[in-house]
Amino acid sequence: MSAGTAQLRRLAPVSDSFTGIDFSAIGKQLGYGHVVHSDNVHDGSVIPVPVAVISSGPGPVALLVAGTHGDEYEGQILAHELIRELEAEQLTGTVIIVPAANSPAVRGAARVSPIDAGNLNRSFPGNADGGPTAQVAALIAGELLPRADFLIDMHSGGSNATYLPSAFIYRGPDEELWEAKLRAVRLLGLPYVMVVAPLLEPASLSSAGDLAGVLTISTELCGAGTVDRQVLSTIRGGMPRMLADLGIMRRDTDAGDAAPVAEPQWLELVPESTVTSTVAGLFEPLVDLGESVLAGQPVARVHFIDELDRQPRVFHARIDGVVAIMRRPTLVDPGAHLLHVAELLESPPA
């Protein structure tokens, strides 16, 4: 997409891809994006993607996305709260909120869409003429992202994993945006920041944001297919503070916790972070989430289900670091990542 085309789309007040949304209007609008699909259930109907737009008029634009994976809940709850509670008078710009991006997956309590098995966070930039998940990706990347100055994609570990409560950022895409990412995640106030390689997942929303030159951060808000009350409280306080710093929320309104923000712990995921099972069986962790470990330390073992006299297979950390991600289901097959050990950085990454 050329810069000129992106600017025209940004300024376009309405789009045939949405019902109930005029992007030039002031106030709060609740509508939905269109996904058209024909099968035994959806023939002759639209699969709605809920969208809210809250605007005070011209100014910077934030795009907040949750429910990219349907079984990740803290971000969804925060998105719904913001839709209900945020008013145009509190803003100096616009907030676009997508609380259930992969709405079939949200309704199915699943990571991927039950309609086409599509993983939305591996589907960008999408295809407006493709299947349901590809259409959602095209709706976000082609219609909403070009309007945005800031993007946050809110994830958790889902039903399959638990993460340390973290902001999650791809390195780059340039020095200016990298510095802006570091500032934003500090203000968000989560206790950890996980740093990963540039364009780690090329078809993710984070990569789409980086490729579009939009200030983009993500989160990993615990997980386990449930809601962590403490991390939800933390991000409730941090989101308004960050939006105020970005010039999107008025500073004379409730802009989050006024107390000084503690410096997060900086972690980096590297290829050697993974501890991966080579056998099938029952996963037993030997360490806890957040625990410091050393390279070569036993961190997990897998018990064989049918070989009753066989000792469990023991797995070791490959690097020194902090246990940052822990698998949730106990039953594993070969290739399952049991946990991830992140390198602990002494200072914010340059």
Side-chain angles (χ1 to χ4, degrees):
M1 179 187 299
S2 70
T5 302
Q7 183 67 12
L8 287 173
R9 182 165 290 166
R10 180 188 180 95
L11 296 174
V14 294
S15 167
D16 292 339
S17 300
F18 296 90
T19 291
I21 301 295
D22 178 348
F23 291 98
S24 66
I26 294 174
K28 182 183 296 187
Q29 302 172 78
L30 308 179
Y32 59 90
H34 303 167
V35 170
V36 180
H37 179 63
S38 181
D39 60 17
N40 289 334
V41 176
H42 303 94
D43 185 39
S45 62
V46 167
I47 302 170
V49 179
V51 176
V53 178
I54 308 162
S55 181
S56 64
V61 177
L63 173 59
L64 280 55
V65 178
T68 301
H69 295 134
D71 61 349
E72 301 176 1
Y73 295 114
E74 288 90 350
Q76 295 182 49
I77 289 173
L78 179 64
H80 283 288
E81 288 182 347
L82 289 171
I83 291 169
R84 293 193 303 269
E85 298 172 7
L86 197 59
E87 300 296 339
E89 293 76 15
Q90 299 173 272
L91 301 180
T92 50
T94 299
V95 178
I96 303 172
I97 304 175
V98 184
N102 193 341
S103 58
V106 169
R107 294 183 177 92
R111 178 174 175 82
V112 302
S113 172
I115 299 174
D116 63 357
N119 183 339
L120 180 56
N121 211 37
R122 304 294 186 271
S123 300
F124 290 92
N127 180 356
D129 298 317
T133 304
Q135 289 184 52
V136 176
L139 196 72
I140 295 172
E143 296 280 356
L144 299 181
L145 187 57
R147 303 176 188 273
D149 301 287
F150 168 72
L151 163 67
I152 179 168
D153 185 20
M154 293 181 284
H155 288 266
S156 303
S159 301
N160 289 318
T162 305
Y163 282 68
L164 290 175
S166 326
F168 195 93
I169 49 176
Y170 288 15
R171 285 188 177 271
D174 56 46
E175 184 175 351
E176 181 180 358
L177 282 172
W178 177 244
E179 290 300 320
K181 287 181 183 182
L182 296 181
R183 180 176 180 85
V185 297
R186 279 189 167 106
L187 289 166
L188 193 57
L190 292 166
Y192 297 90
V193 178
M194 285 196 210
V195 178
V196 298
L199 303 179
L200 176 69
E201 293 288 353
S204 68
L205 182 51
S206 286
S207 287
D210 279 355
L211 291 169
V214 173
L215 169 56
T216 299
I217 68 172
S218 183
T219 67
E220 290 293 351
L221 304 173
C222 294
T226 185
V227 175
D228 186 289
R229 295 176 62 242
Q230 184 172 350
V231 73
L232 186 56
S233 176
T234 299
I235 198 170
R236 277 179 178 138
M239 183 70 75
R241 179 173 53 232
M242 182 181 63
L243 292 177
D245 186 75
L246 292 167
I248 297 167
M249 177 172 275
R250 295 174 62 91
R251 292 184 180 274
D252 57 354
T253 61
D254 179 16
D257 188 353
V261 184
E263 182 74 3
Q265 292 192 55
W266 301 89
L267 305 174
E268 184 158 20
L269 292 175
V270 297
E272 296 78 21
S273 292
T274 56
V275 176
T276 306
S277 182
T278 57
V279 297
L282 305 177
F283 159 50
E284 176 194 358
L286 302 179
V287 292
D288 295 319
L289 196 67
E291 185 173 335
S292 295
V293 300
L294 299 174
Q297 177 180 336
V299 293
R301 57 184 184 174
V302 176
H303 298 263
F304 297 94
I305 296 172
D306 299 313
E307 299 178 68
L308 303 184
D309 59 348
R310 186 174 180 182
Q311 292 295 320
R313 180 73 55 85
V314 178
F315 296 90
H316 303 81
R318 300 161 65 191
I319 57 173
D320 297 348
V322 175
V323 180
I325 308 169
M326 184 76 73
R327 177 183 170 85
R328 181 68 175 171
T330 299
L331 193 63
V332 298
D333 287 316
H337 294 322
L338 305 175
L339 53 86
H340 289 67
V341 177
E343 292 185 336
L344 179 63
L345 304 178
E346 294 184 359
S347 60

mmCIF file of all heavy atoms in Angstrom, residues 116-149:
data_model
loop_
_atom_site.group_PDB
_atom_site.id
_atom_site.type_symbol
_atom_site.label_atom_id
_atom_site.label_comp_id
_atom_site.label_asym_id
_atom_site.label_seq_id
_atom_site.Cartn_x
_atom_site.Cartn_y
_atom_site.Cartn_z
ATOM 1 N N ASP A 116 -12.775 -22.024 10.386
ATOM 2 C CA ASP A 116 -11.786 -22.395 9.369
ATOM 3 C C ASP A 116 -10.435 -22.790 9.966
ATOM 4 O O ASP A 116 -9.455 -22.929 9.234
ATOM 5 C CB ASP A 116 -11.597 -21.257 8.371
ATOM 6 C CG ASP A 116 -11.042 -19.981 9.002
ATOM 7 O OD1 ASP A 116 -10.849 -19.956 10.245
ATOM 8 O OD2 ASP A 116 -10.815 -19.001 8.269
ATOM 9 N N ALA A 117 -10.378 -22.964 11.313
ATOM 10 C CA ALA A 117 -9.135 -23.316 12.019
ATOM 11 C C ALA A 117 -8.053 -22.266 11.817
ATOM 12 O O ALA A 117 -6.858 -22.552 11.955
ATOM 13 C CB ALA A 117 -8.620 -24.694 11.596
ATOM 14 N N GLY A 118 -8.472 -21.036 11.516
ATOM 15 C CA GLY A 118 -7.510 -19.979 11.261
ATOM 16 C C GLY A 118 -6.952 -19.369 12.533
ATOM 17 O O GLY A 118 -7.690 -19.032 13.457
ATOM 18 N N ASN A 119 -5.614 -19.238 12.580
ATOM 19 C CA ASN A 119 -4.926 -18.533 13.659
ATOM 20 C C ASN A 119 -4.750 -17.094 13.206
ATOM 21 O O ASN A 119 -3.921 -16.800 12.342
ATOM 22 C CB ASN A 119 -3.577 -19.201 13.940
ATOM 23 C CG ASN A 119 -2.847 -18.553 15.109
ATOM 24 O OD1 ASN A 119 -3.102 -17.417 15.481
ATOM 25 N ND2 ASN A 119 -1.912 -19.296 15.677
ATOM 26 N N LEU A 120 -5.526 -16.174 13.788
ATOM 27 C CA LEU A 120 -5.511 -14.790 13.316
ATOM 28 C C LEU A 120 -4.130 -14.177 13.419
ATOM 29 O O LEU A 120 -3.738 -13.395 12.543
ATOM 30 C CB LEU A 120 -6.531 -13.966 14.115
ATOM 31 C CG LEU A 120 -6.646 -12.482 13.753
ATOM 32 C CD1 LEU A 120 -6.947 -12.292 12.273
ATOM 33 C CD2 LEU A 120 -7.715 -11.811 14.618
ATOM 34 N N ASN A 121 -3.367 -14.536 14.447
ATOM 35 C CA ASN A 121 -2.049 -13.927 14.606
ATOM 36 C C ASN A 121 -0.984 -14.575 13.729
ATOM 37 O O ASN A 121 0.199 -14.308 13.888
ATOM 38 C CB ASN A 121 -1.609 -13.964 16.071
ATOM 39 C CG ASN A 121 -0.724 -12.782 16.421
ATOM 40 O OD1 ASN A 121 -0.930 -11.676 15.936
ATOM 41 N ND2 ASN A 121 0.265 -13.011 17.276
ATOM 42 N N ARG A 122 -1.404 -15.401 12.800
ATOM 43 C CA ARG A 122 -0.511 -15.920 11.752
ATOM 44 C C ARG A 122 -1.124 -15.666 10.379
ATOM 45 O O ARG A 122 -0.805 -16.360 9.416
ATOM 46 C CB ARG A 122 -0.271 -17.438 11.927
ATOM 47 C CG ARG A 122 0.285 -17.840 13.282
ATOM 48 C CD ARG A 122 1.676 -17.317 13.535
ATOM 49 N NE ARG A 122 2.202 -17.846 14.782
ATOM 50 C CZ ARG A 122 2.044 -17.269 15.977
ATOM 51 N NH1 ARG A 122 1.345 -16.131 16.069
ATOM 52 N NH2 ARG A 122 2.561 -17.801 17.070
ATOM 53 N N SER A 123 -1.995 -14.656 10.285
ATOM 54 C CA SER A 123 -2.784 -14.457 9.065
ATOM 55 C C SER A 123 -2.639 -13.081 8.437
ATOM 56 O O SER A 123 -3.278 -12.802 7.415
ATOM 57 C CB SER A 123 -4.279 -14.700 9.376
ATOM 58 O OG SER A 123 -4.485 -16.009 9.843
ATOM 59 N N PHE A 124 -1.828 -12.202 9.000
ATOM 60 C CA PHE A 124 -1.690 -10.848 8.462
ATOM 61 C C PHE A 124 -0.720 -10.824 7.293
ATOM 62 O O PHE A 124 0.230 -11.591 7.278
ATOM 63 C CB PHE A 124 -1.222 -9.899 9.584
ATOM 64 C CG PHE A 124 -2.290 -9.663 10.620
ATOM 65 C CD1 PHE A 124 -2.366 -10.456 11.752
ATOM 66 C CD2 PHE A 124 -3.236 -8.671 10.436
ATOM 67 C CE1 PHE A 124 -3.360 -10.259 12.696
ATOM 68 C CE2 PHE A 124 -4.234 -8.467 11.366
ATOM 69 C CZ PHE A 124 -4.300 -9.259 12.502
ATOM 70 N N PRO A 125 -0.961 -9.974 6.288
ATOM 71 C CA PRO A 125 -1.955 -8.888 6.224
ATOM 72 C C PRO A 125 -3.353 -9.316 5.836
ATOM 73 O O PRO A 125 -4.242 -8.484 5.727
ATOM 74 C CB PRO A 125 -1.367 -7.967 5.156
ATOM 75 C CG PRO A 125 -0.665 -8.910 4.224
ATOM 76 C CD PRO A 125 -0.068 -9.970 5.117
ATOM 77 N N GLY A 126 -3.577 -10.598 5.620
ATOM 78 C CA GLY A 126 -4.913 -11.082 5.338
ATOM 79 C C GLY A 126 -5.293 -11.005 3.878
ATOM 80 O O GLY A 126 -4.489 -10.647 3.004
ATOM 81 N N ASN A 127 -6.553 -11.344 3.620
ATOM 82 C CA ASN A 127 -7.076 -11.384 2.257
ATOM 83 C C ASN A 127 -8.566 -11.109 2.325
ATOM 84 O O ASN A 127 -9.323 -11.912 2.880
ATOM 85 C CB ASN A 127 -6.803 -12.756 1.627
ATOM 86 C CG ASN A 127 -7.324 -12.883 0.219
ATOM 87 O OD1 ASN A 127 -7.971 -11.967 -0.314
ATOM 88 N ND2 ASN A 127 -7.050 -14.012 -0.410
ATOM 89 N N ALA A 128 -8.985 -9.980 1.781
ATOM 90 C CA ALA A 128 -10.395 -9.593 1.848
ATOM 91 C C ALA A 128 -11.300 -10.565 1.103
ATOM 92 O O ALA A 128 -12.516 -10.592 1.349
ATOM 93 C CB ALA A 128 -10.577 -8.182 1.289
ATOM 94 N N ASP A 129 -10.739 -11.369 0.205
ATOM 95 C CA ASP A 129 -11.523 -12.355 -0.542
ATOM 96 C C ASP A 129 -11.281 -13.774 -0.042
ATOM 97 O O ASP A 129 -11.721 -14.742 -0.682
ATOM 98 C CB ASP A 129 -11.176 -12.268 -2.036
ATOM 99 C CG ASP A 129 -11.524 -10.917 -2.626
ATOM 100 O OD1 ASP A 129 -12.603 -10.398 -2.309
ATOM 101 O OD2 ASP A 129 -10.704 -10.378 -3.389
ATOM 102 N N GLY A 130 -10.596 -13.905 1.100
ATOM 103 C CA GLY A 130 -10.266 -15.222 1.606
ATOM 104 C C GLY A 130 -11.292 -15.743 2.587
ATOM 105 O O GLY A 130 -12.446 -15.291 2.635
ATOM 106 N N GLY A 131 -10.866 -16.707 3.406
ATOM 107 C CA GLY A 131 -11.735 -17.277 4.419
ATOM 108 C C GLY A 131 -11.972 -16.311 5.561
ATOM 109 O O GLY A 131 -11.438 -15.188 5.575
ATOM 110 N N PRO A 132 -12.766 -16.709 6.554
ATOM 111 C CA PRO A 132 -13.131 -15.793 7.634
ATOM 112 C C PRO A 132 -11.934 -15.186 8.365
ATOM 113 O O PRO A 132 -11.912 -13.973 8.604
ATOM 114 C CB PRO A 132 -13.971 -16.668 8.560
ATOM 115 C CG PRO A 132 -14.548 -17.717 7.674
ATOM 116 C CD PRO A 132 -13.493 -17.993 6.652
ATOM 117 N N THR A 133 -10.951 -15.994 8.716
ATOM 118 C CA THR A 133 -9.818 -15.453 9.469
ATOM 119 C C THR A 133 -8.998 -14.508 8.605
ATOM 120 O O THR A 133 -8.557 -13.441 9.069
ATOM 121 C CB THR A 133 -8.950 -16.593 10.014
ATOM 122 O OG1 THR A 133 -9.765 -17.465 10.809
ATOM 123 C CG2 THR A 133 -7.826 -16.063 10.865
ATOM 124 N N ALA A 134 -8.788 -14.844 7.351
ATOM 125 C CA ALA A 134 -8.058 -13.956 6.442
ATOM 126 C C ALA A 134 -8.806 -12.641 6.241
ATOM 127 O O ALA A 134 -8.191 -11.583 6.111
ATOM 128 C CB ALA A 134 -7.847 -14.655 5.101
ATOM 129 N N GLN A 135 -10.125 -12.681 6.237
ATOM 130 C CA GLN A 135 -10.910 -11.457 6.109
ATOM 131 C C GLN A 135 -10.753 -10.552 7.328
ATOM 132 O O GLN A 135 -10.665 -9.331 7.196
ATOM 133 C CB GLN A 135 -12.386 -11.787 5.899
ATOM 134 C CG GLN A 135 -12.719 -12.373 4.540
ATOM 135 C CD GLN A 135 -14.217 -12.588 4.386
ATOM 136 O OE1 GLN A 135 -15.012 -11.675 4.605
ATOM 137 N NE2 GLN A 135 -14.605 -13.802 4.030
ATOM 138 N N VAL A 136 -10.745 -11.153 8.529
ATOM 139 C CA VAL A 136 -10.548 -10.347 9.731
ATOM 140 C C VAL A 136 -9.183 -9.676 9.693
ATOM 141 O O VAL A 136 -9.049 -8.484 10.012
ATOM 142 C CB VAL A 136 -10.687 -11.202 11.005
ATOM 143 C CG1 VAL A 136 -10.385 -10.354 12.241
ATOM 144 C CG2 VAL A 136 -12.074 -11.793 11.113
ATOM 145 N N ALA A 137 -8.151 -10.422 9.312
ATOM 146 C CA ALA A 137 -6.814 -9.844 9.219
ATOM 147 C C ALA A 137 -6.791 -8.684 8.234
ATOM 148 O O ALA A 137 -6.186 -7.634 8.494
ATOM 149 C CB ALA A 137 -5.806 -10.917 8.816
ATOM 150 N N ALA A 138 -7.453 -8.849 7.093
ATOM 151 C CA ALA A 138 -7.509 -7.769 6.105
ATOM 152 C C ALA A 138 -8.279 -6.577 6.633
ATOM 153 O O ALA A 138 -7.926 -5.414 6.355
ATOM 154 C CB ALA A 138 -8.141 -8.286 4.818
ATOM 155 N N LEU A 139 -9.331 -6.829 7.398
ATOM 156 C CA LEU A 139 -10.118 -5.745 7.989
ATOM 157 C C LEU A 139 -9.257 -4.905 8.932
ATOM 158 O O LEU A 139 -9.278 -3.675 8.891
ATOM 159 C CB LEU A 139 -11.304 -6.346 8.736
ATOM 160 C CG LEU A 139 -12.458 -5.442 9.117
ATOM 161 C CD1 LEU A 139 -13.269 -5.060 7.893
ATOM 162 C CD2 LEU A 139 -13.350 -6.156 10.138
ATOM 163 N N ILE A 140 -8.477 -5.590 9.783
ATOM 164 C CA ILE A 140 -7.643 -4.869 10.743
ATOM 165 C C ILE A 140 -6.454 -4.213 10.055
ATOM 166 O O ILE A 140 -6.179 -3.022 10.245
ATOM 167 C CB ILE A 140 -7.181 -5.822 11.860
ATOM 168 C CG1 ILE A 140 -8.384 -6.294 12.680
ATOM 169 C CG2 ILE A 140 -6.155 -5.149 12.759
ATOM 170 C CD1 ILE A 140 -8.062 -7.381 13.691
ATOM 171 N N ALA A 141 -5.726 -4.984 9.238
ATOM 172 C CA ALA A 141 -4.504 -4.465 8.620
ATOM 173 C C ALA A 141 -4.795 -3.466 7.505
ATOM 174 O O ALA A 141 -4.019 -2.529 7.292
ATOM 175 C CB ALA A 141 -3.662 -5.618 8.075
ATOM 176 N N GLY A 142 -5.901 -3.671 6.791
ATOM 177 C CA GLY A 142 -6.185 -2.820 5.645
ATOM 178 C C GLY A 142 -7.080 -1.638 5.930
ATOM 179 O O GLY A 142 -7.002 -0.615 5.243
ATOM 180 N N GLU A 143 -7.949 -1.750 6.945
ATOM 181 C CA GLU A 143 -8.924 -0.692 7.225
ATOM 182 C C GLU A 143 -8.646 0.078 8.510
ATOM 183 O O GLU A 143 -8.882 1.287 8.568
ATOM 184 C CB GLU A 143 -10.333 -1.305 7.311
ATOM 185 C CG GLU A 143 -10.837 -1.923 6.019
ATOM 186 C CD GLU A 143 -11.375 -0.890 5.049
ATOM 187 O OE1 GLU A 143 -11.427 0.304 5.411
ATOM 188 O OE2 GLU A 143 -11.731 -1.282 3.919
ATOM 189 N N LEU A 144 -8.166 -0.600 9.549
ATOM 190 C CA LEU A 144 -7.993 0.054 10.846
ATOM 191 C C LEU A 144 -6.551 0.493 11.090
ATOM 192 O O LEU A 144 -6.313 1.623 11.541
ATOM 193 C CB LEU A 144 -8.451 -0.881 11.970
ATOM 194 C CG LEU A 144 -9.921 -1.303 11.934
ATOM 195 C CD1 LEU A 144 -10.244 -2.208 13.119
ATOM 196 C CD2 LEU A 144 -10.850 -0.089 11.905
ATOM 197 N N LEU A 145 -5.604 -0.379 10.818
ATOM 198 C CA LEU A 145 -4.207 -0.041 11.082
ATOM 199 C C LEU A 145 -3.736 1.216 10.351
ATOM 200 O O LEU A 145 -3.005 2.031 10.942
ATOM 201 C CB LEU A 145 -3.324 -1.241 10.741
ATOM 202 C CG LEU A 145 -1.850 -1.143 11.111
ATOM 203 C CD1 LEU A 145 -1.672 -0.879 12.600
ATOM 204 C CD2 LEU A 145 -1.110 -2.424 10.706
ATOM 205 N N PRO A 146 -4.132 1.445 9.078
ATOM 206 C CA PRO A 146 -3.683 2.672 8.416
ATOM 207 C C PRO A 146 -4.211 3.950 9.065
ATOM 208 O O PRO A 146 -3.684 5.033 8.800
ATOM 209 C CB PRO A 146 -4.233 2.516 6.987
ATOM 210 C CG PRO A 146 -4.366 1.054 6.796
ATOM 211 C CD PRO A 146 -4.796 0.528 8.128
ATOM 212 N N ARG A 147 -5.226 3.863 9.903
ATOM 213 C CA ARG A 147 -5.752 5.036 10.602
ATOM 214 C C ARG A 147 -5.008 5.314 11.903
ATOM 215 O O ARG A 147 -5.224 6.350 12.527
ATOM 216 C CB ARG A 147 -7.243 4.822 10.919
ATOM 217 C CG ARG A 147 -8.109 4.543 9.702
ATOM 218 C CD ARG A 147 -9.551 4.243 10.104
ATOM 219 N NE ARG A 147 -10.346 3.787 8.972
ATOM 220 C CZ ARG A 147 -10.990 4.587 8.116
ATOM 221 N NH1 ARG A 147 -10.936 5.892 8.289
ATOM 222 N NH2 ARG A 147 -11.675 4.091 7.109
ATOM 223 N N ALA A 148 -4.178 4.369 12.358
ATOM 224 C CA ALA A 148 -3.636 4.405 13.712
ATOM 225 C C ALA A 148 -2.241 5.013 13.773
ATOM 226 O O ALA A 148 -1.426 4.864 12.858
ATOM 227 C CB ALA A 148 -3.611 2.991 14.292
ATOM 228 N N ASP A 149 -1.978 5.671 14.903
ATOM 229 C CA ASP A 149 -0.630 6.105 15.258
ATOM 230 C C ASP A 149 -0.004 5.175 16.280
ATOM 231 O O ASP A 149 1.216 5.165 16.449
ATOM 232 C CB ASP A 149 -0.683 7.520 15.839
ATOM 233 C CG ASP A 149 -1.278 8.519 14.876
ATOM 234 O OD1 ASP A 149 -0.603 8.870 13.887
ATOM 235 O OD2 ASP A 149 -2.438 8.940 15.087
#
